[in-house]
């Protein structure tokens, strides 16, 4: 869980830099934030990390933290074997006002922190216009998630977003099956922007049969005006990755 306050793994000065520019961005449509943190368990200490993290979640329950914290094991992709946790829904200012952040960080540092190395942390904002679901904000997680990341050429968002927006409109107009549901997020901080994260709820690994990240969008965006979706994506997307995350209910807290 987050470890950026005094006595935590990350210095508080870095935290101030991380959130300094976020509230202004959150004033745009879709102000709900998504805060994700990745850890790699130290060699031979994954069991100890899990046990420590469970104890840390108990701190949140005792302190009646209203935020939902999800935990995932990354099964495929460039971040394979990482543990990712995150909370979805609060704006950055609401996140700043969460329950006892200094105590939260100190507890993490004492329970799970010694057994893992923090690798990255990223701040997103929900883009409901580019997706069809908000299943994590609604606290209805799926057993698996397919995480699709699209890094877009600078200045390319104006061409990329309409394709995704059309894909969302087409999916809403068609069969509202589980495979046609996804939540869309725009990267605000913690990585190279512009970038977008799409989280596709899934019941198992069969979700990867929907194809590569760009092919998946192309299959949904059937009514794009002008150039075909494949041409636009080829021109605007500099890198795309796909990963499957497995939900760890034992490492998840949903009030």
């Amino acid at each position: 869980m987050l470890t950026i306050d005094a006595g935590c793994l990350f210095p508080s000065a870095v935290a101030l830099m991380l959130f300094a520019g976020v509230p202004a961005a959150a004033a745009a449509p879709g102000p709900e934030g998504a805060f994700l943190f990745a850890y790699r368990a130290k060699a031979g200490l994954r069991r100890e990390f899990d046990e420590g993290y469970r104890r840390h979640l108990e701190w949140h329950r005792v302190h009646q933290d209203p935020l939902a914290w999800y935990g995932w094991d990354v099964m495929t992709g460039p971040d394979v074997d990482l543990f990712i946790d995150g909370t979805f829904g609060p704006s950055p200012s609401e996140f700043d006002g969460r329950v006892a952040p200094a105590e939260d960080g100190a507890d993490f540092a004492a329970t799970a922190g010694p057994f893992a190395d923090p690798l990255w942390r990223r701040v997103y904002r929900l883009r409901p216009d580019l997706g069809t679901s908000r299943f994590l904000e609604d606290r209805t997680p799926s057993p698996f998630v397919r995480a699709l990341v699209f890094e877009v050429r600078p200045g390319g968002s104006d061409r990329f977003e309409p394709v995704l927006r059309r894909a969302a409109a087409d999916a809403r107009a068609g069969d509202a099956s589980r495979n046609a549901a996804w939540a869309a997020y725009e990267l605000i901080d913690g990585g190279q922007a512009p970038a977008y994260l799409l989280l596709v709820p899934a019941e198992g690994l069969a979700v990867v049969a929907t194809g590569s990240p760009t092919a998946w969008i192309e299959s949904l965006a059937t009514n794009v005006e002008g150039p075909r979706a494949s041409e636009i994506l080829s021109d605007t997307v500099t890198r795309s990755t796909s990963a499957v995350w497995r939900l760890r209910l034992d490492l998840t807290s949903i009030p």
Side-chain angles (χ1 to χ4, degrees):
M1 207 158 291
L2 184 65
T3 54
I4 60 176
D5 295 283
C8 306
L9 293 178
F10 296 112
S12 58
V14 176
L16 294 175
M17 294 171 61
L18 175 64
F19 292 110
V22 175
E32 294 171 290
F35 304 83
L36 294 176
F37 309 88
Y39 304 91
R40 186 181 299 280
K42 294 179 179 179
L45 296 178
R46 179 57 199 263
R47 178 178 296 179
E48 288 80 359
F49 173 78
D50 288 0
E51 291 174 351
Y53 194 86
R54 290 189 194 97
R55 292 196 300 273
H56 180 58
L57 287 181
E58 186 60 27
W59 180 94
H60 284 266
R61 297 185 185 103
V62 168
H63 287 75
Q64 298 181 336
D65 183 1
L67 299 180
W69 286 94
Y70 302 99
W72 293 277
D73 285 338
V74 181
M75 302 183 64
T76 64
D79 288 338
V80 66
D81 293 334
L82 298 192
F83 175 75
I84 293 177
D85 73 350
T87 188
F88 295 74
S91 68
S93 59
E94 291 171 332
F95 188 76
D96 284 341
R98 65 195 183 282
V99 174
E103 293 181 28
D104 178 3
D107 186 82
F108 182 94
T111 54
F115 308 111
D117 296 316
L119 297 185
W120 53 255
R121 50 188 176 172
R122 294 171 186 154
V123 181
Y124 296 87
R125 69 181 179 108
L126 178 68
R127 289 294 303 272
D129 58 319
L130 305 181
T132 64
S133 176
R134 40 176 294 128
F135 64 104
L136 294 172
E137 288 80 5
D138 292 340
R139 304 189 177 187
T140 56
S142 55
F144 293 83
V145 166
R146 189 182 190 193
L148 306 175
V149 175
F150 296 87
E151 296 178 2
V152 175
R153 195 180 309 281
S157 293
D158 288 346
R159 298 188 67 210
F160 173 80
E161 288 189 8
V163 174
L164 197 54
R165 191 175 293 113
R166 173 53 64 182
D170 289 347
R172 294 189 198 100
D175 177 18
S177 64
R178 192 103 170 132
N179 286 338
W182 71 92
Y185 303 88
E186 179 184 1
L187 180 68
I188 296 299
D189 209 322
Q192 182 173 333
Y196 300 83
L197 171 66
L198 309 186
L199 297 181
V200 183
E203 299 300 321
L205 288 173
V207 68
V208 300
T210 53
S212 69
T214 53
W216 179 80
I217 292 182
E218 292 168 19
S219 69
L220 293 173
T222 58
N223 296 315
V224 174
E225 297 180 2
R228 293 186 307 168
S230 58
E231 297 176 14
I232 298 174
L233 295 175
S234 178
D235 289 342
T236 59
V237 176
T238 59
R239 182 172 181 259
S240 62
T241 61
S242 174
V244 175
W245 302 352
R246 179 172 67 94
L247 182 68
R248 291 290 303 271
L249 277 175
D250 60 321
L251 302 181
T252 293
S253 175
I254 304 177

